[in-house]
């Protein structure tokens, strides 16, 4: 977690994310890439990338005005006491928010994206979704979503919910890396639902066989939790043990597959109050 990307719209939730990113960067001797997206309709067809790209549209008075205001906000942010001693690389891009974030992540070989979110609900959630949700669905690197101020982000109880099948091995390696970095207590939980029921014995054996393949520094505890659906089960279990962080993997489905199947990870990003970290399968 040396390179941490923090997309910002300079809102309170974006600053919550930046504060957490600063704590992670300081712990890992990392750097922060602070990104602001300027979604200006007039520039939609101009193909302008970062703010130092060559293009006549960057000389338009309204564009220069917005860029100057953004640089002023950047200056306010990077001078915050919690960023002292951390290298912060600033960038302004002219793209749709979530597409620009994913592109910036790939260009700079980002290790972790930290985003603030206040979630989405109702029709907005169904038809539009949040930019955070879209990033969670498409990012190849882990995405940590922060909902409220975390002055001391040091997760001691990290819940990871899964079916612990073979396809989870690759993302779970990143889960272990994250848990080991914070020396956190890892709680592996399998959610039993009426439509997908496993006996306690079978579920515990699955978790044990799966976890034995990884070097989990502080060990782990396994749990079987029964609920009406996976999302409610994860949230209720996290509440029961007073978890500091919830982790899940996501398939990153697109189009109709996503519409009909949905994603528990994205629902959790929208509905959980606790920090949620997602890992792409």
């Amino acid at each position: 977690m040396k390179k941490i990307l923090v997309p910002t719209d300079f809102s309170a939730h974006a600053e919550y994310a930046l504060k957490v990113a600063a704590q992670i960067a300081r712990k890992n001797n990392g750097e922060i890439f602070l990104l602001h997206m300027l979604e200006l309709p007039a520039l939609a067809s101009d193909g302008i990338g970062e703010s130092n790209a060559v293009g006549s549209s960057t000389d338009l008075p309204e564009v220069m005005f917005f860029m100057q205001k953004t640089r002023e906000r950047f200056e306010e942010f990077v001078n915050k006491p919690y960023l002292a001693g951390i290298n912060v690389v600033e960038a302004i891009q002219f793209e749709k928010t979530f597409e620009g974030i994913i592109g910036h992540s790939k260009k700079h070989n980002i290790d972790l994206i930290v985003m603030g979110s206040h979630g989405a609900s109702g029709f907005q959630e169904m038809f539009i979704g949040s930019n955070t949700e879209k990033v969670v669905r498409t990012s190849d690197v882990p995405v940590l979503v922060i909902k409220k101020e975390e002055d001391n982000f040091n997760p001691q109880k990290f819940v990871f919910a899964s079916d612990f099948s073979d396809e989870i091995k690759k993302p779970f390696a990143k889960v272990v890396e994250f848990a080991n970095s914070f020396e956190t207590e890892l709680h592996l939980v399998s959610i039993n639902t009426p439509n997908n029921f496993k006996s306690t014995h079978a579920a515990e054996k699955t978790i044990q066989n799966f976890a034995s393949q990884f070097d989990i520094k502080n060990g782990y505890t396994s749990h079987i939790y029964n609920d009406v659906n996976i999302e409610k089960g994860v949230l209720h279990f996290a509440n029961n043990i007073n978890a500091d962080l919830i982790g899940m993997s996501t398939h990153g489905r697109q189009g109709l597959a996503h519409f009909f199947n949905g994603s528990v990870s994205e629902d959790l990003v929208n509905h959980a109050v606790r920090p949620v970290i997602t890992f792409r399968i």
Side-chain angles (χ1 to χ4, degrees):
M1 293 180 289
K2 295 287 188 183
K3 293 184 174 182
I4 304 168
L5 174 60
V6 183
T8 184
D9 58 2
F10 305 109
S11 65
H13 285 85
E15 187 163 12
Y16 298 159
L18 185 57
K19 285 182 178 179
V20 169
Q23 294 172 61
I24 297 172
R26 186 166 280 109
K27 185 178 181 67
N28 293 278
N29 193 28
E31 60 183 333
I32 291 174
F33 291 75
L34 192 59
L35 174 66
H36 179 69
M37 308 300 299
L38 276 177
E39 293 192 57
L40 301 179
L43 299 177
S45 61
D46 288 348
I48 299 175
E50 295 187 10
S51 59
N52 59 357
V54 175
S56 59
S57 294
T58 56
D59 297 327
L60 292 174
E62 59 267 35
V63 176
M64 295 177 68
F65 171 79
F66 282 117
M67 288 181 64
Q68 181 58 37
K69 288 298 181 184
T70 301
R71 291 191 179 106
E72 289 172 7
R73 298 301 303 274
F74 271 147
E75 191 171 345
E76 290 176 22
F77 264 56
V78 298
N79 287 323
K80 300 277 187 177
Y82 58 81
L83 288 173
I86 298 173
N87 185 43
V88 179
V89 181
E90 307 155 23
I92 305 168
Q93 283 189 197
F94 300 92
E95 275 184 90
K96 289 183 179 179
T97 300
F98 79 94
E99 292 174 352
I101 292 168
I102 296 302
H104 203 72
S105 173
K106 291 178 179 178
K107 179 178 179 180
H108 295 280
N109 296 315
I110 295 298
D111 300 311
L112 174 70
I113 299 174
V114 184
M115 297 187 70
S117 174
H118 50 73
S121 60
F123 285 110
Q124 181 190 14
E125 181 181 5
M126 182 180 296
F127 292 109
I128 303 172
S130 65
N131 282 313
T132 305
E133 179 190 338
K134 293 172 185 175
V135 172
V136 163
R137 193 189 313 161
T138 54
S139 174
D140 291 327
V141 302
V143 181
L144 174 61
V145 181
I146 303 298
K147 292 294 191 69
K148 57 187 179 65
E149 193 153 22
E150 304 277 348
D151 289 325
N152 182 25
F153 183 77
N154 186 27
Q156 294 303 294
K157 291 183 179 180
F158 180 9
V159 169
F160 182 74
S162 175
D163 62 0
F164 303 99
S165 59
D166 285 344
E167 71 172 352
I168 307 297
K169 286 181 180 178
K170 185 177 178 180
F172 190 71
K174 293 183 181 290
V175 173
V176 172
E177 181 183 344
F178 192 93
N180 288 348
S181 172
F182 282 93
E183 298 182 352
T184 186
E185 182 183 339
L186 193 56
H187 293 263
L188 306 181
V189 59
S190 177
I191 306 298
N192 255 339
T193 66
N195 294 328
N196 188 17
F197 181 83
K198 273 188 178 181
S199 70
T200 298
H201 174 75
E204 285 182 341
K205 188 174 181 181
T206 297
I207 295 175
Q208 183 179 358
N209 291 341
F210 183 89
S212 65
Q213 302 171 66
F214 298 88
D215 181 20
I216 304 173
K217 188 183 294 185
N218 278 16
Y220 70 94
T221 54
S222 60
H223 309 267
I224 316 302
Y225 195 86
N226 302 322
D227 216 318
V228 295
N229 60 47
I230 294 174
E231 182 192 354
K232 287 185 184 296
V234 175
L235 292 174
H236 291 158
F237 175 74
N239 287 339
N240 283 353
I241 69 165
N242 196 25
D244 301 303
L245 178 66
I246 298 171
M248 290 199 72
S249 53
T250 177
H251 280 91
R253 293 188 180 97
Q254 303 288 327
L256 287 176
H258 176 262
F259 183 83
F260 287 113
N261 294 306
S263 168
V264 175
S265 300
E266 292 159 30
D267 290 340
L268 279 171
V269 162
N270 276 326
H271 302 150
V273 176
R274 289 175 167 80
V276 175
I277 185 166
T278 62
F279 303 85
R280 177 84 175 270
I281 294 174

